[in-house]
Amino acid sequence: MTPFSLNGKTALVTGASRGIGLAIARAMHEAGANLILAARSKEKLDVLAAELGARALELDLESSESIQRAAQEAGDVDILVNVAGINIRRKFEDYTREQYDKILQTNVHGLVELTQLVGKSMIVRGHGGKIINIGSLATHHGLPWLSVYTLTKGAVGQLTKALAAEWARHNIQVNCIAPGFILTDLNRAMWQADDMAEWRKGIQANDRMGDASDVAPLAVFLAAPGSNFITGQVISVDGGASTTMKWPFTPPE
Ligand code: NAP
């Protein structure tokens, strides 16, 4: 057993067109996986696929038809990485039904439908498999103006545990990575403000901004044989944001 190798394994990564999904795809390529990159931006994916010797699949998690077609075209998959996700920041009382539905559909319903289809095919094939969901700091914490996103990321964390329990009999390990503050297109504008960086330094033990490449190695490990006895876990990659606090006190010499 080569604990960190993905040689001979096929990995389907959603949200692979940029950000955390692209970093995971690159790291899995380095670890030897055959990659299937999925997102809505097909032209972008085609360029990346050529670079990584991968296949590109158009996937819109807001469309059941698109999800079914992508799952069909993907064929045999050993590793499913559910990265694609969106966020809309608003006061809870101001969310429109349309915004609520869009976030729920992308982050939960679409993920569920794809995981059902890919998981069913893993079960029928009988070779086991790995499912890695991307949660968030919001899987653990409540933050203001993120209520609907938080609701979806809590659901992703709980689905991870339930599926780990249910699919262990098929040798499918299901885990969730909960990234903290990672600079991507999802939040770049928000982090421009100086007081945001100061606030982060005050609450996070390892106080720098995270990068997508900080998240990718854990995804490789959770996809590789070395993690075969790890399932149902929500593992944070957040510089300590979910587990530590800072305070101004220093003990006397
Ligand atoms: P990002 O740069 O905005 O990337 C989002 C990805 O999701 C893109 O590849 C996008 O591709 C894809 N996507 C969006 N809507 C889609 C849809 N309807 N169907 C298919 N693909 C769709 O964001 P990111 O920061 O890398 O986020 C990736 C994941 O990490 C998300 O689940 C996010 O919630 C989670 N996360 C991020 C952070 C952070 O600080 N950045 C922290 C915790 C968790 P197309 O536009 O090409 O479809």
Side-chain angles (χ1 to χ4, degrees):
M1 185 176 89
T2 43
F4 305 111
S5 169
L6 303 183
N7 270 339
K9 300 292 182 189
T10 299
L12 169 57
V13 183
T14 75
S17 60
R18 59 177 189 267
I20 293 172
L22 177 55
I24 289 175
R26 286 193 193 285
M28 288 192 166
H29 168 71
E30 298 244 319
N34 305 312
L35 280 171
I36 306 171
L37 311 175
R40 291 166 303 182
S41 314
K42 180 66 165 47
E43 282 178 17
K44 221 166 166 181
L45 289 183
D46 284 336
V47 175
L48 293 166
E51 182 200 326
L52 299 175
R55 282 163 62 203
L57 273 189
E58 191 168 343
L59 167 71
D60 183 357
L61 289 170
E62 290 192 67
S63 154
S64 186
E65 193 196 331
S66 170
I67 293 168
Q68 287 175 34
R69 192 174 48 240
Q72 174 80 31
E73 284 175 16
D76 289 341
V77 169
D78 302 292
I79 301 155
L80 169 64
V81 197
N82 284 313
V83 189
I86 58 163
N87 184 16
I88 301 170
R89 292 184 181 82
R90 294 209 75 176
K91 292 179 182 169
F92 179 63
E93 61 273 29
D94 291 343
Y95 279 103
T96 63
R97 180 65 203 234
E98 196 187 11
Q99 290 170 329
Y100 175 83
D101 286 344
K102 189 175 174 69
I103 303 171
L104 264 287
Q105 177 58 42
T106 309
N107 294 7
V108 178
H109 304 320
L111 177 152
V112 165
E113 190 173 352
L114 182 68
T115 305
Q116 278 184 313
L117 293 168
V118 175
K120 196 180 278 184
S121 144
M122 283 177 180
I123 291 167
V124 169
R125 203 165 153 230
H127 292 185
K130 301 277 192 180
I131 295 176
I132 301 157
N133 296 321
I134 301 298
S136 164
L137 200 57
T139 303
H140 306 292
H141 280 302
L143 284 156
W145 333 133
L146 285 171
S147 53
V148 179
Y149 178 79
T150 300
L151 184 150
T152 65
K153 292 299 183 179
V156 167
Q158 287 303 97
L159 175 68
T160 299
K161 295 174 196 172
L163 275 188
E166 196 166 319
W167 285 353
R169 72 204 67 198
H170 303 297
N171 191 27
I172 298 172
Q173 286 82 51
V174 188
N175 290 292
C176 175
I177 299 175
F181 301 118
I182 310 291
L183 193 64
T184 68
D185 292 350
L186 193 66
N187 53 32
R188 208 174 300 281
M190 186 185 76
W191 286 105
Q192 294 299 318
D194 291 343
D195 54 353
M196 286 296 293
E198 284 310 308
W199 170 78
R200 191 193 61 244
K201 286 177 188 162
I203 57 116
Q204 196 174 294
N206 185 346
D207 62 18
R208 70 172 167 82
M209 189 74 200
D211 185 79
S213 61
D214 290 314
V215 181
L218 178 59
V220 172
F221 176 60
L222 291 175
S227 64
N228 280 353
F229 201 50
I230 298 174
T231 197
Q233 302 301 312
V234 179
I235 304 175
S236 296
V237 180
D238 63 4
S242 60
T243 47
T244 62
M245 282 191 214
K246 284 187 166 180
W247 57 2
F249 172 75
T250 7
E253 294 293 322

